[in-house]
Amino acid sequence: MHLRLTLIIAICLSQFLGYSQTPADWWYFGDNAGVHFTQTGPIAVGDGQILTDEGCSSISDQQGNLLFYTDGQLVYDKLHALMPNGSGLFGATSSAHSSVVIPRPGSSTEYYIFTVDAGGAIGVGIHYSKVDLTLNGGNGDVDVNEKNVFLADPASEKLAAVKKPGGFWIIGQKVGTNEFYTFEVTSTGVNTTPIISSTDWVVNGYGGTMTINSDGDKIASVDKQDSILIYDFNGTTGLVSSDYKIGSAMSTGQMYGIEFSPDSKILYMASESSEDIRQFDLTLANSAAISASETMIGNGGPGGGQMQTGPDGIIYCARYGRLILSAITEPDVLGVGCNWIDTAVVLTSNSRWGLPTFIQSFFNASFSFSQTCIGDSTVFFADTAGVDSVNWNFGDPASGIENTSTELSPSHLFTDTGEFTVTLIASSDTVIDTTVRTLFIYPRLTKNWESEFSLCKGDTENLGLGQGFATYLWSTGATSDSIQVYSDSVVTVTVFGACDTIVDTIEVKVDAPNPIDLGEDVTLCLPNKITLQNLLNPTADILWNTGIVSDSLLVTISGTYSAQDSSACGLFVDTVIVELIPQIEFDPLPPDTVNCFDSQIILERPLNDSINFIWSDSTSGPRFEVDSTQQVWLASFNECGFSVDTMNILFNGEIRTELGEDTNICEKDSIQLSGIDSTATYQWSTGDTSISIWTEIGADENYIVTIFKGECTKVESRRIRSSDVFCPSIDCDLEYGNVFSPNGDGINDLYRITSDCGIYKFDMTIYNRWGQLVHYTQNVAFGWDGYVNGEPAAEGVYYFVVEYKDFVVVDADRQLTRGSFTLVR
């Protein structure tokens, strides 16, 4: 079924098109409540001026800009100001459809407001008034020459509008009768002579609402007594005829609001005194079945009112006395999947029972298409009689700018397979109609199966090829999408797809199960080997975890070995552990050794988890530390043998020497070379065997000494070079006086020895004339102050002995100087 919408709710199904501006973008209703439909959804507004229990209507231009709105009595312009001549219309705020706005065909500035009273005021009934938007400075006003023009009386409070070729039909109901009024609106104006239709049912109640489906061929009207009345409508003649009644066995209040789903397959009803929202499936065969399909989709809470489809394709429901609108967000879905939302829009002021009444039909735009295989361009053909322009949306956003077109008969290459929703928006004069159809792009057949199929012996399997949107013809004569196979065979299949045909031959092979048993875990002594094989089927090839495929496996190293066989019969796996233990055939310890150093010796045994070890101290660790003379043994044993290895370790003691570095000395000097270990014996290259020797004066020689201690020997050497280059260029002399006076006058109070060369070793002793020691020092910087044991020494002659070394002659013999001086006070 095509979805067609008129000017008022053009482009209303946002799930198909993406929402755009429409003449139904602004709603004003209830206690100054309002809603503006935007790209991001409905937004509550509080600038409305009407206060109405029920009926109202509003109109915007095709860009979604507000033009005016009315409660059937007062008309407000786009600035929310009462039009100068906009009061006193004959509608009623307690009428379910107090007003409906119709554009004058052929004009973009003139509109008709059709009004109806509350159904009980004889002499009022249905009227119309014309609004001219060129008046009142472009804000619009009611034309005084066409205000409250009488059409019919008496009337129920129901009004509806539907598109006809070249104009519109306005449909009312004569209260207390079985008759309908239909008035024609064309570019020449309103035909005030009604077309009268007689139906099968007399309706005494004047309240409740009336609606027309999106195809414009069905009218649903609430009979507040006990039922919903469904009528056929002829869009060419304007005649109304009875179709069927729907009864509600579940409703807990008087029926009031009513609305068709956008695809015209479902009817929704809201109770007036409770939130009792019902759904009926109109696709069923008869009224009894439709009545029995009644499903509650919302309940609890007060005040269900009028239901109206919005420009976003969602059905909204008024809630009396509450700051909310409820909604059905998926109205084309049967059952609770239609998604009733109790609080869909939060308002700035209270809703009442009514919502704006809009035109609910359109001018029969439709289209067809051909070529629906992926890879082919789909061609579209629009039924566009009287259409000025078209806009296509192919529902294929992945195609980028190619997703839309303004051609009358475009073609489109779809980017994928599957379902696509294509929308045609056709424009004629001031009317925009929308048609939505779903098409399916079919895949090409692809050979996604193997030409060989395996199954296990004794099993029966379904051989299916998994091709969607296809039929099959098997060589067995079967036409199902799969056949049963159970033995070796060759079958041929022809697959007929929506786009192509494939013929293939499939070989069916039957596998026999091959369970595996590798036997128990095995432990062997090397150099023995073992060959593994499947004990249940020794001649069949199997896959080993070493990567080879064979009926057996020769094992030469320890490890875990597994084998498997995979077939249509399943996966068979077995594992065995093989441990190959080495025999004890090695001597792990080094030969006997002498340690000529003080440090300990560390022995290490082999690391082999299959051999046990014990050292001579009964430990078994990987290292054994030896710090004294002893015999060490290491025992090795496992299941395959036993062995003991022994070594003797002698700690001789370390030979220590410090002959020093090679040295250059003055050719007149000699230095002493000496060992430091008195327990060792020495053999010098000079032939000496003492612990130390003096070098020859003027020698240039490498002195070598061999040191013997126990079992150990050590050789060291030191080269001594003599040259006058290393002799000092000055003579070094001691300086000392022959008299000193320690009387405290600060002059010559200390007796000191000085030298014009640096002295690094010094001994000075002073004696009196009887040979008694009166002073001794080893510091050349100190002198004698003339005191002995704290008492002043006697005047007279004293004698000194100085033994010293200086830095001028390197390592020269110690120098000795003797002399005397006189102490005077």
Side-chain angles (χ1 to χ4, degrees):
M1 183 178 294
H2 294 175
L3 175 63
R4 306 181 180 115
L5 303 183
T6 60
L7 170 69
I8 305 302
I9 58 169
I11 325 174
C12 74
L13 294 184
S14 60
Q15 63 266 43
F16 296 132
L17 298 177
Y19 176 70
S20 59
Q21 289 75 33
T22 76
D25 276 3
W26 292 89
W27 294 12
Y28 289 99
F29 54 92
D31 295 343
N32 308 120
V35 172
H36 178 210
F37 288 87
T38 70
Q39 296 283 353
T40 58
I43 299 174
V45 295
D47 52 4
Q49 301 299 309
I50 61 175
L51 183 64
T52 175
D53 270 341
E54 298 184 69
C56 52
S57 57
S58 59
I59 190 71
S60 302
D61 63 21
Q62 293 186 34
Q63 289 72 45
N65 300 307
L66 178 66
L67 297 177
F68 61 88
Y69 56 97
T70 178
D71 61 0
Q73 296 180 339
L74 304 173
V75 186
Y76 293 90
D77 63 23
K78 62 185 178 182
L79 301 179
H80 307 286
L82 183 66
M83 290 183 178
N85 195 38
S87 59
L89 272 64
F90 288 169
T93 58
S94 62
S95 172
H97 300 286
S98 66
S99 60
V100 60
V101 178
I102 304 297
R104 178 178 177 177
S107 173
S108 61
T109 60
E110 294 182 348
Y111 292 83
Y112 296 110
I113 302 175
F114 289 84
T115 59
V116 66
D117 64 16
I122 302 300
V124 182
I126 304 172
H127 293 74
Y128 83 88
S129 300
K130 185 173 76 173
V131 173
D132 188 345
L133 294 180
T134 64
L135 300 177
N136 189 27
N139 292 327
D141 196 3
V142 177
D143 187 341
V144 295
N145 297 314
E146 282 189 82
K147 181 177 181 180
N148 289 328
V149 178
F150 175 78
L151 293 176
D153 179 60
S156 72
E157 57 186 66
K158 302 180 179 72
L159 279 181
V162 64
K163 183 69 177 65
K164 66 176 294 293
F168 300 93
W169 295 113
I170 305 300
I171 304 166
Q173 191 175 31
K174 187 174 183 180
V175 69
T177 72
N178 64 344
E179 294 181 351
F180 278 82
Y181 304 113
T182 305
F183 297 93
E184 184 181 28
V185 180
T186 65
S187 59
T188 62
V190 179
N191 185 345
T192 58
T193 301
I195 297 171
I196 305 296
S197 300
S198 296
T199 68
D200 295 341
W201 308 303
V202 174
V203 178
N204 293 313
Y206 52 81
T209 59
M210 179 170 66
T211 188
I212 302 178
N213 69 352
S214 58
D215 286 332
D217 59 3
K218 292 289 184 183
I219 299 173
S221 178
V222 169
D223 181 353
K224 295 185 69 173
Q225 303 301 316
D226 59 4
S227 58
I228 301 169
L229 305 177
I230 305 298
Y231 300 90
D232 288 323
F233 181 74
N234 188 318
T236 301
T237 64
L239 291 173
V240 180
S241 57
S242 301
D243 193 353
Y244 57 87
K245 285 185 179 183
I246 301 174
S248 174
M250 301 169 64
S251 178
T252 58
Q254 288 185 325
M255 293 180 284
Y256 182 80
I258 195 167
E259 181 70 308
F260 287 98
S261 63
D263 65 4
S264 301
K265 297 178 180 179
I266 299 172
L267 185 68
Y268 292 93
M269 180 273 292
S271 295
E272 178 179 346
S273 57
S274 68
E275 186 176 316
D276 192 0
I277 311 302
R278 305 289 168 173
Q279 182 195 77
F280 299 89
D281 183 358
L282 302 183
T283 65
L284 300 178
N286 52 57
S287 60
I290 294 173
S291 297
S293 73
E294 180 180 15
T295 301
M296 178 186 292
I297 63 167
N299 58 23
Q306 186 171 346
M307 307 182 83
Q308 174 63 54
T309 301
D312 54 6
I314 294 173
I315 295 177
Y316 292 88
C317 182
R319 302 291 298 280
Y320 187 86
R322 300 183 66 182
L323 287 168
I324 62 169
L325 292 182
S326 299
I328 302 169
T329 64
E330 303 291 338
D332 289 334
V333 177
L334 279 170
V336 294
C338 67
N339 195 29
W340 166 263
I341 298 178
D342 184 73
T343 303
V345 181
V346 178
L347 304 173
T348 61
S349 55
N350 283 339
S351 168
R352 294 197 180 187
W353 281 299
L355 288 175
T357 301
F358 295 107
I359 300 171
Q360 299 276 123
S361 63
F362 31 113
F363 67 91
N364 296 331
S366 63
F367 66 88
S368 59
F369 49 84
S370 64
Q371 297 178 199
T372 55
C373 290
I374 188 69
D376 294 339
S377 293
T378 303
V379 181
F380 295 88
F381 308 93
D383 178 11
T384 55
V387 170
D388 298 329
S389 62
V390 295
N391 282 281
W392 297 86
N393 185 303
F394 301 111
D396 183 18
S399 63
I401 62 174
E402 302 298 324
N403 192 39
T404 59
S405 176
T406 57
E407 298 179 10
L408 290 177
S409 294
S411 61
H412 180 73
L413 183 63
F414 284 91
T415 58
D416 200 357
T417 60
E419 192 173 87
F420 292 86
T421 300
V422 180
T423 303
L424 168 65
I425 304 173
S427 302
S428 176
D429 197 7
T430 60
V431 177
I432 299 174
D433 286 350
T434 300
T435 300
V436 177
R437 290 193 64 184
T438 299
L439 61 81
F440 196 93
I441 300 299
Y442 291 92
R444 302 284 182 178
L445 289 180
T446 57
K447 184 179 179 297
N448 59 2
W449 61 88
E450 299 294 333
S451 295
E452 185 176 292
F453 179 79
S454 299
L455 72 157
C456 189
K457 183 177 181 180
D459 290 345
T460 299
E461 297 286 347
N462 283 327
L463 178 58
L465 306 183
Q467 294 290 304
F469 314 103
T471 58
Y472 298 80
L473 176 60
W474 300 87
S475 54
T476 62
T479 57
S480 56
D481 58 1
S482 64
I483 61 171
Q484 285 192 335
V485 291
Y486 52 86
S487 62
D488 289 339
S489 57
V490 176
V491 294
T492 300
V493 61
T494 303
V495 185
F496 304 93
C499 301
D500 40 28
T501 300
I502 292 179
V503 179
D504 197 17
T505 298
I506 304 170
E507 183 179 3
V508 179
K509 292 185 176 182
V510 177
D511 292 336
N514 184 25
I516 298 174
D517 182 6
L518 299 180
E520 299 296 327
D521 294 344
V522 178
T523 299
L524 295 175
C525 292
L526 289 172
N528 293 319
K529 302 175 183 178
I530 185 172
T531 298
L532 301 177
Q533 61 184 159
N534 183 5
L535 302 179
L536 300 177
N537 192 356
T539 62
D541 286 343
I542 49 181
L543 174 62
W544 299 90
N545 62 341
T546 60
I548 68 170
V549 177
S550 68
D551 59 359
S552 62
L553 180 69
L554 177 63
V555 175
T556 58
I557 60 175
S558 297
T560 299
Y561 296 88
S562 64
Q564 68 177 39
D565 182 79
S566 178
S567 67
C569 297
L571 176 66
F572 297 94
V573 180
D574 193 28
T575 299
V576 64
I577 297 175
V578 177
E579 185 177 7
L580 299 178
I581 300 174
Q583 292 183 344
I584 309 300
E585 295 179 347
F586 58 89
D587 297 326
L589 296 181
D592 294 347
T593 186
V594 176
N595 185 9
C596 294
F597 304 93
D598 286 338
S599 59
Q600 63 184 1
I601 294 176
I602 297 177
L603 302 176
E604 293 185 354
R605 66 166 174 78
L607 297 177
N608 192 323
D609 292 339
S610 64
I611 300 176
N612 299 308
F613 296 92
I614 296 180
W615 295 95
S616 51
D617 68 347
S618 298
T619 62
S620 59
R623 294 159 58 94
F624 188 82
E625 298 178 357
V626 183
D627 58 4
S628 62
T629 299
Q630 60 181 283
Q631 184 182 72
V632 178
W633 55 261
L634 176 63
S636 309
F637 59 94
N638 61 12
E639 294 92 332
C640 297
F642 177 85
S643 176
V644 176
D645 191 21
T646 302
M647 73 174 294
N648 294 303
I649 300 176
L650 173 63
F651 272 76
N652 187 83
E654 184 175 5
I655 300 176
R656 294 176 295 168
T657 60
E658 293 182 6
L659 287 186
E661 302 294 329
D662 292 349
T663 305
N664 297 315
I665 64 173
C666 179
E667 61 184 358
K668 298 177 181 179
D669 284 343
S670 173
I671 64 173
Q672 188 180 48
L673 304 179
S674 178
I676 61 174
D677 189 345
S678 61
T679 64
T681 59
Y682 298 82
Q683 181 66 55
W684 296 90
S685 56
T686 61
D688 295 310
T689 58
S690 59
I691 192 172
S692 63
I693 64 171
W694 285 91
T695 63
E696 293 185 12
I697 295 175
D700 186 353
E701 184 176 346
N702 186 27
Y703 291 88
I704 301 172
V705 62
T706 302
I707 308 169
F708 303 92
K709 185 174 181 179
E711 299 295 325
C712 298
T713 302
K714 185 175 185 181
V715 178
E716 282 202 4
S717 66
R718 181 176 179 185
R719 176 170 288 280
I720 306 299
R721 295 182 179 88
S722 300
S723 174
D724 59 358
V725 174
F726 301 102
C727 294
S729 59
I730 63 172
D731 294 328
C732 295
D733 295 320
L734 289 180
E735 294 180 0
Y736 50 87
N738 58 3
V739 68
F740 87 111
S741 56
N743 55 10
D745 62 359
I747 301 173
N748 200 22
D749 283 338
L750 291 176
Y751 187 78
R752 262 190 311 212
I753 303 295
T754 60
S755 175
D756 53 6
C757 293
I759 293 176
Y760 70 91
K761 196 156 186 180
F762 180 80
D763 285 289
M764 182 176 73
T765 55
I766 300 176
Y767 304 90
N768 62 18
R769 58 185 176 177
W770 294 286
Q772 294 173 326
L773 179 66
V774 296
H775 179 71
Y776 171 76
T777 182
Q778 288 184 321
N779 193 328
V780 71
F782 292 171
W784 183 39
D785 60 359
Y787 283 79
V788 179
N789 297 325
E791 297 293 334
E795 292 184 336
V797 177
Y798 289 83
Y799 303 91
F800 66 86
V801 178
V802 174
E803 188 176 6
Y804 68 93
K805 279 189 175 185
D806 57 41
F807 290 102
V808 173
V809 181
V810 177
D811 288 332
D813 294 337
R814 294 172 66 83
Q815 305 295 317
L816 186 62
T817 300
R818 300 175 186 272
S820 64
F821 60 89
T822 301
L823 186 153
V824 179
R825 293 196 182 270

